Amino acid sequence: MAFVTITGFPCSGKTRRAEQLRAHLESRLQDPSYEGPKLKVVVVSDDTLNLPRSVYNDGRAEKPARAALFTAVQRQMAQDTILIVDSLNYIKGFRYQMYCAAREHKLRVCTIFVAATHDQCKEWNASRQDGRAYAPETLENLLLRYEEPSSMVRWDSPLFTVPWTDEDVPIDDIWKAITEGNVKPPNAGTQAVPKAPTDALRTLEHTTTTMVAAIMSEQSASGGLGGPVTLALSATLKPRVNLPPRNITLSELQRLKRQFVTVHKKAITLGTTEKGAVDWSEESIAEKFAMYIEGNLKP
């Protein structure tokens, strides 16, 4: 349904805003006047994943922690869920990564920037008594490294800035964004590429080799008259190919086979840009190779 990214300086009040947003959304979903689909509100955060603030002390520990957060976010993305991710989300590349995942799940998105000054964040961090404070040097480092969101880039839009002076989040605007906003289609780069079956290379090589041998055999039997020829490769596989009215050499067919196999081998090993399912069956390969021979053999 929707994906909400909450971002801001460490100790700027992000969790407070996440809880305010959760309460407002649940209240609206339970209101008798609400006539939309049945939805649930889920919050994923460092705290729900039991990630201590100490993971930000060291980049080697922070990277797997961020990966754990992203995995948890992906698991919760669904059409029946309004998902709120409450974390630093201070790297724009990570926000973009989550945005792409949301688009792949066809979710509406928005970003909430919880704004506060550096001095206020330091003061609030020093006053914390819940064991969730950052080490002073870590806090300073995170403040300097923070990459502020921008409404000019698609992965941060629509962007709602909530200053520390505001008592509450702009729930009316957020509600409109996550219930009426445009659902953007997945990027081509985020879509899964159709994969060929594991035996596709063997089938490609075997079918084309068998067809070359069958063409040479049929040509010997007909004396090189050409025309439409049915190749009995097996009891069920009998492709037809139109041959020119002349003797075709084995080297010609082998050259065409090598070219055909090379092109299709790349599609198998690297993936394909074709949309939808790709048929790598013997019948499909035989039909494609017959068309390739007809189009590339000289009269």
Side-chain angles (χ1 to χ4, degrees):
M1 172 63 177
F3 176 64
V4 181
T5 301
I6 294 184
T7 180
F9 295 142
C11 283
S12 59
K14 296 182 297 300
T15 298
R16 172 178 169 237
R17 301 304 187 184
E19 290 304 319
Q20 287 177 336
L21 180 59
R22 185 219 289 263
H24 283 303
L25 293 175
E26 290 179 341
S27 176
R28 294 199 175 201
L29 292 173
Q30 294 168 6
D31 192 291
S33 63
Y34 173 69
E35 298 179 350
K38 185 177 181 180
L39 301 172
K40 61 182 179 180
V41 182
V42 175
V43 176
V44 173
S45 67
D46 292 354
D47 294 335
T48 62
L49 298 177
N50 295 316
L51 297 175
R53 301 297 188 268
S54 59
V55 298
Y56 296 101
N57 297 346
D58 181 3
R60 289 172 296 180
E62 181 183 345
K63 190 173 182 180
R66 194 160 54 242
L69 178 66
F70 181 65
T71 300
V73 164
Q74 285 184 301
R75 286 175 180 164
Q76 295 292 343
M77 285 181 173
Q79 288 298 316
D80 66 345
T81 302
I82 299 177
L83 177 60
I84 303 168
V85 56
D86 168 27
S87 185
L88 285 176
N89 300 319
Y90 70 97
I91 301 173
K92 62 183 178 182
F94 183 59
R95 295 198 297 269
Y96 176 72
Q97 186 180 10
M98 293 191 293
Y99 164 80
C100 288
R103 284 186 63 169
E104 190 167 351
H105 285 80
K106 297 181 174 60
L107 305 181
R108 294 182 176 90
V109 298
C110 75
T111 301
I112 298 175
F113 175 40
V114 181
T117 66
H118 285 199
D119 289 341
Q120 285 173 322
C121 293
K122 293 176 183 178
E123 180 183 340
W124 291 337
N125 183 66
S127 64
R128 297 197 75 155
Q129 303 295 326
D130 56 3
R132 296 174 181 172
Y134 296 88
E137 59 274 14
T138 300
L139 178 65
E140 188 68 39
N141 186 31
L142 290 172
L143 290 172
L144 293 174
R145 290 165 54 197
Y146 185 81
E147 297 175 344
E148 190 170 318
S150 169
S151 59
M152 300 298 291
V153 297
R154 60 188 184 279
W155 58 88
D156 288 334
S157 300
L159 175 64
F160 303 100
T161 300
V162 185
W164 71 95
T165 54
D166 287 6
E167 288 296 324
D168 210 340
V169 294
I171 185 58
D172 291 336
D173 293 334
I174 296 172
W175 177 259
K176 185 175 181 179
I178 64 179
T179 58
E180 302 177 20
N182 294 329
V183 179
K184 297 181 180 179
N187 286 326
T190 68
Q191 291 180 300
V193 177
K195 297 297 183 182
T198 55
D199 64 343
L201 284 173
R202 186 200 65 80
T203 303
L204 175 66
E205 187 67 37
H206 173 74
T207 303
T208 52
T209 299
T210 305
M211 285 183 66
V212 168
I215 290 173
M216 295 303 296
S217 177
E218 287 291 336
Q219 182 175 248
S220 298
S222 64
L225 296 178
V229 175
T230 300
L231 307 176
L233 304 185
S234 67
T236 57
L237 186 58
K238 297 180 180 181
R240 289 175 60 84
V241 58
N242 281 302
L243 301 177
R246 64 175 180 83
N247 282 321
I248 303 168
T249 64
L250 178 61
S251 61
E252 282 183 281
L253 291 176
Q254 287 179 332
R255 175 177 56 82
L256 293 177
K257 171 185 170 291
R258 283 195 301 270
Q259 293 172 350
F260 181 83
V261 168
T262 298
V263 170
H264 288 76
K265 187 181 292 185
K266 288 181 180 179
I268 292 172
T269 56
L270 301 179
T272 175
T273 58
E274 296 179 36
K275 294 183 178 179
V278 180
D279 188 357
W280 293 103
S281 65
E282 289 184 335
E283 293 80 4
S284 176
I285 292 174
E287 181 183 352
K288 290 178 180 178
F289 188 41
M291 293 173 61
Y292 188 82
I293 290 173
E294 292 174 3
N296 290 276
L297 267 181
K298 295 180 179 179

